[in-house]
Amino acid sequence: GENVEQHPSTLSVQEGDSAVIKCTYSDSASNYFPWYKQELGKGSQLIIDIRSNVGEKKDQRIAVTLNKTAKHFSLHITETQPEDSAVYFCAASSQGGSEKLVFGKGTKLTVNP
Amino acid sequence: ETGVTQTPRHLVMGMTNKKSLKCEQHLGHNAMYWYKQSAKKPLELMFVYNFKEQTENNSVPSRFSPECPNSSHLFLHLHTLQPEDSALYLCASSQGIDRGNEQFFGPGTRLTVL
């Protein structure tokens, strides 16, 4: 089955700097890669996703890149702000008829003012 | 606010208790999910329901019993749990179960088993 590794587990940056979180996956058949932001008491929200037919997707300060050959994808946050502080999860969809997302362990991002 | 609500938000129970977690989605979705989030572990899929029918049971112990009376409501019945079952239990919903459907998560229930 699918296995997703996420690094780093914690990340601390200064406000205005960039933050990068990396994930690798094992199942070459996976073709959907969402990123979720989990804030305390608010649940997890999808912030960006990418499908295997594209290599990069950008939404304002957030971008995701995908390297299918190397089986890794990354989340890039530019001009970080304190409100970006949260736990971020990557995920990959594995084979099967149902939506069976496999998640990474999460990265706790702290943006220091 | 994601449109998915969960109650209670916090629950403390003994190993002999019976309790239930509730999830409700107001998004008109057809698929609902239960996940377990333990400290320092990946989010684990437990159950998937599509149009009230269970489509996935990810080798979950029988002390966890899901129920989906309709597409908007999902329950997780708990009985004779173990301390290692203490975790954050997240509910999610999506339009369908086709690959690539965005899942919307609830805030979770923080469960502590004494």
Side-chain angles (χ1 to χ4, degrees), chain B residues 38-55:
Chain B
S38 303
K40 298 182 180 180
K41 287 186 178 180
L43 208 59
E44 301 170 60
L45 179 67
M46 300 174 72
F47 302 103
V48 180
Y49 277 82
N50 191 39
F51 290 98
K52 304 187 297 179
E53 298 296 321
Q54 187 180 125
T55 59

Side-chain angles (χ1 to χ4, degrees), chain B residues 11-95:
Chain B
L11 178 62
V12 179
M13 59 187 289
M15 290 189 286
T16 58
N17 292 157
K18 288 184 180 181
K19 297 287 184 182
S20 295
L21 309 184
K22 179 182 176 182
C23 176
E24 184 173 0
Q25 56 97 358
H26 312 276
L27 302 168
H29 289 166
N30 300 310
M32 297 188 77
Y33 313 75
W34 278 118
Y35 289 89
K36 177 183 179 183
Q37 185 176 11
S38 303
K40 298 182 180 180
K41 287 186 178 180
L43 208 59
E44 301 170 60
L45 179 67
M46 300 174 72
F47 302 103
V48 180
Y49 277 82
N50 191 39
F51 290 98
K52 304 187 297 179
E53 298 296 321
Q54 187 180 125
T55 59
E56 288 281 349
N57 178 337
N58 212 18
S59 302
V60 181
S62 59
R63 58 186 184 270
F64 295 91
S65 175
E67 179 190 0
C68 189
N70 55 62
S71 292
S72 299
H73 294 84
L74 185 65
F75 295 89
L76 188 62
H77 303 299
L78 317 171
H79 63 98
T80 59
L81 293 192
Q82 305 297 313
E84 58 265 29
D85 296 322
S86 298
L88 181 69
Y89 288 85
L90 291 165
C91 172
S93 71
S94 67
Q95 185 63 45

Side-chain angles (χ1 to χ4, degrees), chain A residues 63-84:
Chain A
V64 57
T65 58
L66 171 66
N67 184 326
K68 287 193 326 183
T69 303
K71 288 189 282 189
H72 68 69
F73 55 111
S74 300
L75 177 71
H76 304 255
I77 306 174
T78 58
E79 300 171 28
T80 53
Q81 301 166 4
E83 49 266 38
D84 294 329

Side-chain angles (χ1 to χ4, degrees), chain A residues 6-22:
Chain A
Q6 183 172 347
H7 298 281
S9 56
T10 60
L11 179 60
S12 182
V13 300
Q14 288 300 121
E15 183 177 359
D17 288 350
S18 295
V20 181
I21 303 171
K22 298 181 180 181

Side-chain angles (χ1 to χ4, degrees), chain A residues 25-39:
Chain A
Y25 61 98
S26 61
D27 187 352
S28 56
S30 290
N31 66 357
Y32 177 62
F33 308 92
W35 284 90
Y36 288 87
K37 177 182 181 182
Q38 187 179 60
E39 296 178 271

